[in-house]
Amino acid sequence: MPDALVVRRETHIPAPPAAVFALLTDPEKILRWMGTEADTKAEPGGLYLVNVTGARFARGSFREVVPVHRLAYSFGWEGSDIVPPGSSLIEIDLIEQPPGTLLRLTQTGLPSAEQCAGHAEGWAHYLERLRQVASGRDPGPDPWLGRDGAAQAG
């Protein structure tokens, strides 16, 4: 797969891996930093469903779940022919790096450089919100609420 069609993001989060893992998998905790509705079952084959902006659902299923260390799940947008549900793969590794966690995210399977750029922008936005929540801060209302663009991350 051409490296140009891979989204990579890395951020240091000032919280232990277990806390970050919970923020990525617990539906109530996901909503503190992303989305208006979430339904997840963090086990292989389990559902990943998040209404990211209140206007569009991201849907997929968990492929790999290693508590507090690694997540991999399929991802796509309901109603999208460009990035349909389950058409891309998100892999998240959580590496303990005191005093916190290095979060390393990779998304593959996107069909174009344009989609990669849009998803990279979305991940930058939402990972910053995740970092703020994990730091004990309130990121405030999501300025992306109501956005319907297909090139948003989830």
Side-chain angles (χ1 to χ4, degrees):
M1 177 173 305
D3 204 48
L5 297 183
V6 176
V7 174
R8 295 183 203 283
R9 285 279 177 242
E10 208 171 89
T11 188
H12 188 271
I13 299 176
V20 178
F21 188 85
L23 285 166
L24 292 166
T25 57
D26 180 310
E28 289 181 22
K29 291 180 178 172
I30 290 169
L31 296 179
R32 293 174 56 199
W33 60 278
M34 176 177 68
T36 60
E37 300 171 68
D39 185 5
T40 60
K41 189 167 187 180
E43 62 184 40
L47 177 67
Y48 176 89
L49 181 68
V50 178
N51 189 340
V52 176
T53 64
R56 193 160 210 194
F57 279 93
R59 176 184 288 272
S61 63
F62 286 94
R63 296 202 180 154
E64 185 179 358
V65 179
V66 180
V68 313
H69 297 293
R70 180 172 167 79
L71 291 170
Y73 55 93
S74 62
F75 176 91
W77 298 101
E78 287 190 346
S80 171
D81 293 330
I82 299 168
V83 183
S87 64
S88 71
L89 178 66
I90 293 171
E91 297 172 273
I92 299 172
D93 290 299
L94 302 175
I95 300 144
E96 187 169 4
Q97 232 179 36
T101 303
L102 176 66
L103 182 150
R104 190 172 286 151
L105 177 143
T106 305
Q107 184 173 9
T108 55
L110 292 169
S112 67
E114 177 187 26
Q115 285 296 318
C116 286
H119 284 80
E121 177 189 7
W123 280 117
H125 173 76
Y126 284 109
L127 290 177
E128 173 56 25
R129 291 178 61 80
L130 171 64
R131 195 183 63 68
Q132 290 177 28
V133 167
S135 301
R137 295 195 304 273
D138 180 353
D142 185 354
W144 286 17
L145 283 181
R147 261 176 86 166
D148 188 18
Q152 296 166 1

